[in-house]
Amino acid sequence: MRLPIQINDQSAEPLYHQIEVQLRALIVSGQLAEGVLLPSIRELAQTVKCSVITVKRVYNDLEAEGLLRTRQGTGTYVAQVGDQERDRHRLAAVVEALEQAVVAAKRVQCTEEELRMIFQEAITKHYE
């Protein structure tokens, strides 16, 4: 299976985090259904051009969150995620992104009013 994960080499964000965020989003959005077999650690590492250790960390982190399940000898699968748990993960990802946006806005001395206007424009652009 080919996962639609894209790495930005120019990003300051660590590779494992880029992969983890995108894989988590695929799971909590339902794009990867329960029971789907993921690529092997080695296969995903080759696909995204990173080390096996990086992918192993991602799989371990997501398994610790209850989003993945590894069966010895058969591979790593998307775990059963209840609706409440899925919503919790989904909203947590949005909260994290918004908090990072607020921090970035403060860093460049954006006013609260400017930030609200930017946020409203982004909503309008993507939802209308």
Side-chain angles (χ1 to χ4, degrees):
M1 156 178 253
R2 175 117 167 76
L3 295 176
I5 293 178
Q6 297 183 345
I7 300 302
N8 179 354
D9 294 329
Q10 307 304 313
S11 175
E13 190 175 33
L15 281 178
Y16 83 89
H17 192 258
Q18 291 182 51
I19 298 166
E20 190 172 302
V21 165
Q22 291 177 59
L23 186 51
R24 183 183 296 110
L26 290 169
I27 295 167
V28 300
S29 70
Q31 292 177 60
L32 288 178
E34 172 189 342
V36 168
L37 175 64
L38 296 182
S40 70
I41 291 171
R42 205 173 295 288
E43 185 182 344
L44 184 55
Q46 288 175 341
T47 301
V48 298
K49 297 179 176 63
C50 69
S51 77
V52 169
I53 294 168
T54 299
V55 175
K56 184 167 177 46
R57 178 177 179 181
V58 169
Y59 279 16
N60 287 341
D61 287 354
L62 294 177
E63 188 168 11
E65 289 180 28
L67 297 175
L68 297 179
R69 178 155 300 146
T70 300
R71 291 189 206 132
Q72 198 67 359
T74 61
T76 302
Y77 299 83
V78 175
Q80 178 179 359
V81 181
D83 290 341
Q84 287 181 332
E85 188 69 9
R86 185 180 308 277
D87 285 346
R88 187 181 69 76
H89 281 287
R90 189 174 53 84
L91 295 177
V94 175
V95 168
E96 180 183 344
L98 288 174
E99 287 178 351
Q100 289 176 358
V102 170
V103 168
K106 283 187 79 170
R107 192 177 308 124
V108 296
Q109 298 179 344
C110 186
T111 67
E112 188 176 327
E113 183 179 319
E114 289 171 322
L115 185 57
R116 286 180 194 278
M117 186 175 70
I118 292 167
F119 184 65
Q120 188 58 53
E121 287 173 5
I123 290 172
T124 301
K125 177 180 176 182
H126 292 280
Y127 280 93
E128 291 181 1

